[in-house]
Amino acid sequence: EMSGTEDHHVTTLRLGFVGCGKITCAVASGFCSEGGHQPVRVTVSPRNEQKAASLKAKFPDLITVASSNQQVLDESDVVFVGLLPDHAEELMPELKFRPDQFVVSMMATKTHADVIRLTGLPADQCVRSVPLPATSKRQGPVLLFPPNKRAEALYSAIGTPVSLEDEGQMKIVLCFTSLISPFYALLDECAGWAERAGADRKAAGAYVGAFFSALANSAKETPGDEFRDLVEEAATPGGLNEQSLKALNEAGVFKHFAKACSAILERQGGTPPPDH
């Protein structure tokens, strides 16, 4: 009988991946990559031959390409499921999960109850997760529901697990994943502006990337209810930040970010907050 997180350490586990989309490949790559703990081995499904083969080529000592999804289950202690929702309904009922298996769903729209139903496993052996592409570099947040020590221990090897007590909150927090392109668009706008003003595009770009990375690092180490302090701290009266903050506030820029998130929440069937 397994007990305590020491037995669930990633270095003692065989991990399996059913499905082979972008996120599945990112998570598998993260676990296999240098710079952190690696599992005993990783078995991937043959669902996307090209992607499975490229993973195998990248990490030949760790990756095994199974001949079927059932083989993935048979050779794994922990199974990550990254199937498309429709495929999951089709394929998962045919799979036989072992009673002691631990299942981590990476299917964005499947609830925790769906995962229990599709695997036939107890609630504490199933967890719902939302990893991001950055897990391939062992970075970024991973949303989890329900809070689960095993899943937190696993994901802490390749990112920052953020557990939610209430599944309904997942929809809300997930809206931020729609801000990847807008964030890069801001950086691109800054670097393009510098070039038009007469600066070297490459140098300006290098500065912008490192600059925003440093700001993001400070935010990562700051509790979420203290972000306002970071705003105030930098906005010295009569200073440059105060001027830019005022100009962008007057143009309603930050409210537009909130509006964009509200539209994404509505698209998921959620109820956005009133405009503030």
Side-chain angles (χ1 to χ4, degrees):
E1 188 66 324
M2 284 187 150
S3 67
T5 48
E6 67 282 354
D7 299 325
H8 301 150
H9 199 276
V10 70
T11 52
T12 66
L13 297 171
R14 300 169 304 155
L15 307 184
F17 290 83
V18 174
C20 212
K22 188 176 167 184
I23 294 294
T24 309
C25 289
V27 172
S29 297
F31 279 115
C32 293
S33 67
E34 299 292 317
H37 293 301
Q38 296 168 328
V40 177
R41 73 152 180 267
V42 172
T43 306
V44 297
S45 74
R47 205 168 162 75
N48 182 324
E49 273 175 44
Q50 208 179 348
K51 280 189 173 147
S54 89
L55 274 175
K56 173 77 180 166
K58 223 179 355 180
F59 309 106
D61 300 340
L62 282 170
I63 300 264
T64 304
V65 182
S67 56
S68 67
N69 286 325
Q70 186 59 50
Q71 191 192 341
V72 175
L73 270 59
D74 297 344
E75 296 184 7
S76 307
D77 305 305
V78 177
V79 181
F80 289 80
V81 182
L83 295 166
L84 292 169
D86 296 348
H87 291 161
E89 292 293 341
E90 230 172 276
L91 299 171
M92 286 178 72
E94 293 169 13
L95 297 174
K96 289 182 179 66
F97 289 87
R98 286 196 312 282
D100 65 339
Q101 223 148 25
F102 189 73
V103 174
V104 180
S105 164
M106 302 181 292
M107 300 179 284
T109 57
K110 290 286 178 207
T111 64
H112 187 234
D114 289 331
V115 184
I116 294 167
R117 171 175 59 82
L118 290 164
T119 59
L121 291 172
D124 63 354
Q125 285 170 231
C126 298
V127 71
R128 184 180 168 195
S129 71
V130 188
L132 299 175
T135 49
S136 68
K137 300 188 180 88
R138 297 186 184 254
Q139 289 172 0
V142 180
L143 273 187
L144 291 176
F145 177 83
N148 181 297
K149 288 278 183 287
R150 284 188 77 171
E152 285 158 19
L154 270 170
Y155 270 128
S156 63
I158 58 166
T160 306
V162 177
S163 295
L164 294 173
E165 295 283 347
D166 166 19
E167 194 166 15
Q169 292 179 19
M170 227 167 192
K171 269 184 188 162
I172 299 168
V173 181
L174 274 178
C175 293
F176 302 137
T177 61
S178 74
L179 297 178
I180 300 170
S181 292
F183 173 73
Y184 290 132
L186 168 62
L187 273 56
D188 183 56
E189 184 67 34
C190 291
W193 170 85
E195 185 180 35
R196 293 194 304 277
D200 175 67
R201 171 84 193 213
K202 268 209 160 116
Y207 187 90
V208 165
F211 179 72
F212 280 102
S213 174
L215 297 184
N217 272 329
S218 296
K220 194 181 164 188
E221 287 150 22
T222 304
D225 54 0
E226 291 174 23
F227 287 162
R228 194 73 223 165
D229 298 348
L230 296 178
V231 176
E232 308 298 348
E233 212 177 296
T236 316
L240 310 181
N241 277 277
E242 187 191 55
Q243 181 179 326
S244 285
L245 182 65
K246 187 166 182 275
L248 292 169
N249 257 329
E250 283 171 2
V253 169
F254 306 110
K255 287 204 165 78
H256 284 296
F257 273 92
K259 277 207 172 91
C261 288
S262 284
I264 298 288
L265 185 55
E266 279 187 297
R267 179 174 165 176
Q268 296 185 84
T271 309
D275 289 343
H276 70 104

Short mmCIF file of all heavy atoms in Angstrom, two decimals, residues 8-37:
data_model
loop_
_atom_site.label_atom_id
_atom_site.label_comp_id
_atom_site.label_asym_id
_atom_site.label_seq_id
_atom_site.Cartn_x
_atom_site.Cartn_y
_atom_site.Cartn_z
N HIS A 8 5.49 8.52 -3.76
CA HIS A 8 4.92 9.05 -4.99
C HIS A 8 5.92 9.95 -5.70
O HIS A 8 5.57 10.67 -6.62
CB HIS A 8 3.65 9.86 -4.68
CG HIS A 8 2.60 9.05 -3.98
ND1 HIS A 8 1.71 9.60 -3.11
CD2 HIS A 8 2.33 7.72 -4.04
CE1 HIS A 8 0.91 8.63 -2.65
NE2 HIS A 8 1.28 7.50 -3.18
N HIS A 9 7.19 9.88 -5.27
CA HIS A 9 8.18 10.75 -5.90
C HIS A 9 8.32 10.34 -7.36
O HIS A 9 8.37 9.16 -7.69
CB HIS A 9 9.51 10.67 -5.17
CG HIS A 9 10.39 11.82 -5.48
ND1 HIS A 9 11.19 11.84 -6.60
CD2 HIS A 9 10.56 13.02 -4.88
CE1 HIS A 9 11.83 13.01 -6.64
NE2 HIS A 9 11.46 13.73 -5.60
N VAL A 10 8.39 11.34 -8.21
CA VAL A 10 8.40 11.08 -9.66
C VAL A 10 9.51 10.12 -10.08
O VAL A 10 9.35 9.33 -11.01
CB VAL A 10 8.43 12.42 -10.45
CG1 VAL A 10 9.77 13.12 -10.30
CG2 VAL A 10 8.11 12.20 -11.91
N THR A 11 10.64 10.13 -9.36
CA THR A 11 11.76 9.26 -9.74
C THR A 11 11.47 7.77 -9.52
O THR A 11 12.22 6.92 -10.00
CB THR A 11 13.03 9.61 -8.93
OG1 THR A 11 12.70 9.61 -7.54
CG2 THR A 11 13.59 10.97 -9.32
N THR A 12 10.39 7.46 -8.79
CA THR A 12 10.05 6.05 -8.54
C THR A 12 8.91 5.58 -9.44
O THR A 12 8.47 4.45 -9.35
CB THR A 12 9.59 5.86 -7.07
OG1 THR A 12 8.37 6.58 -6.87
CG2 THR A 12 10.64 6.35 -6.09
N LEU A 13 8.39 6.48 -10.30
CA LEU A 13 7.16 6.18 -11.03
C LEU A 13 7.34 5.92 -12.52
O LEU A 13 8.23 6.47 -13.16
CB LEU A 13 6.17 7.34 -10.86
CG LEU A 13 5.68 7.62 -9.44
CD1 LEU A 13 4.90 8.92 -9.40
CD2 LEU A 13 4.82 6.47 -8.92
N ARG A 14 6.42 5.10 -13.04
CA ARG A 14 6.30 4.93 -14.49
C ARG A 14 5.09 5.78 -14.91
O ARG A 14 3.99 5.58 -14.40
CB ARG A 14 6.04 3.46 -14.83
CG ARG A 14 7.16 2.52 -14.36
CD ARG A 14 6.74 1.06 -14.47
NE ARG A 14 5.49 0.81 -13.74
CZ ARG A 14 4.65 -0.18 -14.03
NH1 ARG A 14 4.90 -1.02 -15.01
NH2 ARG A 14 3.54 -0.34 -13.32
N LEU A 15 5.32 6.72 -15.81
CA LEU A 15 4.24 7.61 -16.26
C LEU A 15 3.76 7.18 -17.64
O LEU A 15 4.55 6.78 -18.49
CB LEU A 15 4.73 9.06 -16.32
CG LEU A 15 5.39 9.66 -15.07
CD1 LEU A 15 5.71 11.13 -15.30
CD2 LEU A 15 4.50 9.49 -13.85
N GLY A 16 2.45 7.30 -17.84
CA GLY A 16 1.86 6.98 -19.14
C GLY A 16 1.05 8.15 -19.67
O GLY A 16 0.46 8.90 -18.88
N PHE A 17 1.03 8.29 -21.00
CA PHE A 17 0.27 9.38 -21.63
C PHE A 17 -0.65 8.83 -22.71
O PHE A 17 -0.19 8.23 -23.67
CB PHE A 17 1.23 10.42 -22.23
CG PHE A 17 1.96 11.21 -21.19
CD1 PHE A 17 3.11 10.71 -20.59
CD2 PHE A 17 1.47 12.44 -20.77
CE1 PHE A 17 3.78 11.44 -19.60
CE2 PHE A 17 2.12 13.18 -19.78
CZ PHE A 17 3.28 12.67 -19.20
N VAL A 18 -1.96 9.07 -22.52
CA VAL A 18 -2.96 8.67 -23.51
C VAL A 18 -3.39 9.92 -24.25
O VAL A 18 -3.82 10.90 -23.62
CB VAL A 18 -4.16 7.98 -22.84
CG1 VAL A 18 -5.26 7.69 -23.86
CG2 VAL A 18 -3.71 6.68 -22.16
N GLY A 19 -3.26 9.92 -25.59
CA GLY A 19 -3.48 11.13 -26.37
C GLY A 19 -2.12 11.71 -26.66
O GLY A 19 -1.17 11.47 -25.90
N CYS A 20 -2.00 12.47 -27.74
CA CYS A 20 -0.67 12.98 -28.06
C CYS A 20 -0.73 14.37 -28.68
O CYS A 20 -0.05 14.67 -29.65
CB CYS A 20 0.07 12.01 -28.98
SG CYS A 20 1.84 12.02 -28.69
N GLY A 21 -1.56 15.22 -28.08
CA GLY A 21 -1.66 16.60 -28.57
C GLY A 21 -0.53 17.46 -28.06
O GLY A 21 0.41 16.97 -27.43
N LYS A 22 -0.66 18.76 -28.29
CA LYS A 22 0.38 19.72 -27.94
C LYS A 22 0.69 19.72 -26.43
O LYS A 22 1.84 19.66 -26.02
CB LYS A 22 -0.10 21.11 -28.39
CG LYS A 22 0.95 22.21 -28.28
CD LYS A 22 0.37 23.51 -28.85
CE LYS A 22 1.23 24.70 -28.49
NZ LYS A 22 0.62 25.96 -28.97
N ILE A 23 -0.35 19.77 -25.61
CA ILE A 23 -0.16 19.84 -24.17
C ILE A 23 0.41 18.52 -23.63
O ILE A 23 1.32 18.51 -22.80
CB ILE A 23 -1.48 20.19 -23.44
CG1 ILE A 23 -1.94 21.61 -23.79
CG2 ILE A 23 -1.34 20.04 -21.93
CD1 ILE A 23 -1.03 22.72 -23.30
N THR A 24 -0.11 17.39 -24.12
CA THR A 24 0.39 16.08 -23.71
C THR A 24 1.88 15.98 -23.98
O THR A 24 2.66 15.56 -23.12
CB THR A 24 -0.35 14.96 -24.48
OG1 THR A 24 -1.75 15.18 -24.35
CG2 THR A 24 -0.02 13.60 -23.92
N CYS A 25 2.29 16.40 -25.18
CA CYS A 25 3.71 16.36 -25.54
C CYS A 25 4.54 17.30 -24.66
O CYS A 25 5.65 16.96 -24.27
CB CYS A 25 3.90 16.73 -27.01
SG CYS A 25 3.31 15.45 -28.12
N ALA A 26 3.97 18.46 -24.33
CA ALA A 26 4.67 19.42 -23.48
C ALA A 26 4.91 18.83 -22.09
O ALA A 26 6.02 18.92 -21.54
CB ALA A 26 3.87 20.71 -23.38
N VAL A 27 3.88 18.21 -21.51
CA VAL A 27 4.00 17.64 -20.16
C VAL A 27 4.98 16.46 -20.16
O VAL A 27 5.87 16.37 -19.30
CB VAL A 27 2.61 17.22 -19.62
CG1 VAL A 27 2.75 16.45 -18.30
CG2 VAL A 27 1.73 18.45 -19.43
N ALA A 28 4.87 15.59 -21.16
CA ALA A 28 5.79 14.45 -21.26
C ALA A 28 7.23 14.94 -21.41
O ALA A 28 8.15 14.44 -20.76
CB ALA A 28 5.39 13.55 -22.43
N SER A 29 7.42 15.95 -22.27
CA SER A 29 8.76 16.52 -22.48
C SER A 29 9.32 17.12 -21.20
O SER A 29 10.51 16.98 -20.90
CB SER A 29 8.73 17.61 -23.55
OG SER A 29 8.36 17.09 -24.79
N GLY A 30 8.46 17.81 -20.45
CA GLY A 30 8.88 18.43 -19.19
C GLY A 30 9.44 17.39 -18.23
O GLY A 30 10.52 17.57 -17.67
N PHE A 31 8.71 16.27 -18.07
CA PHE A 31 9.17 15.22 -17.16
C PHE A 31 10.47 14.57 -17.64
O PHE A 31 11.28 14.13 -16.82
CB PHE A 31 8.09 14.13 -16.99
CG PHE A 31 7.01 14.49 -16.01
CD1 PHE A 31 5.70 14.68 -16.44
CD2 PHE A 31 7.30 14.65 -14.66
CE1 PHE A 31 4.70 15.01 -15.52
CE2 PHE A 31 6.31 14.99 -13.74
CZ PHE A 31 5.01 15.17 -14.18
N CYS A 32 10.66 14.49 -18.95
CA CYS A 32 11.86 13.84 -19.49
C CYS A 32 13.07 14.77 -19.57
O CYS A 32 14.20 14.32 -19.71
CB CYS A 32 11.58 13.30 -20.89
SG CYS A 32 10.39 11.95 -20.92
N SER A 33 12.81 16.09 -19.51
CA SER A 33 13.88 17.06 -19.76
C SER A 33 14.92 17.08 -18.66
O SER A 33 14.67 16.66 -17.53
CB SER A 33 13.27 18.46 -19.93
OG SER A 33 12.73 18.90 -18.69
N GLU A 34 16.10 17.58 -19.02
CA GLU A 34 17.18 17.80 -18.05
C GLU A 34 16.73 18.89 -17.07
O GLU A 34 15.80 19.62 -17.34
CB GLU A 34 18.43 18.30 -18.78
CG GLU A 34 18.98 17.33 -19.81
CD GLU A 34 19.55 16.06 -19.18
OE1 GLU A 34 20.25 16.18 -18.16
OE2 GLU A 34 19.27 14.97 -19.70
N GLY A 35 17.44 19.00 -15.96
CA GLY A 35 17.16 20.12 -15.07
C GLY A 35 16.11 19.84 -14.03
O GLY A 35 15.55 20.76 -13.44
N GLY A 36 15.80 18.57 -13.81
CA GLY A 36 14.82 18.23 -12.78
C GLY A 36 14.69 16.72 -12.66
O GLY A 36 15.35 15.97 -13.39
N HIS A 37 13.84 16.25 -11.74
CA HIS A 37 13.65 14.82 -11.53
C HIS A 37 12.97 14.18 -12.74
O HIS A 37 12.04 14.75 -13.31
CB HIS A 37 12.81 14.57 -10.28
CG HIS A 37 13.50 14.98 -9.02
ND1 HIS A 37 14.70 14.45 -8.64
CD2 HIS A 37 13.17 15.89 -8.07
CE1 HIS A 37 15.08 14.99 -7.50
NE2 HIS A 37 14.17 15.88 -7.13
#
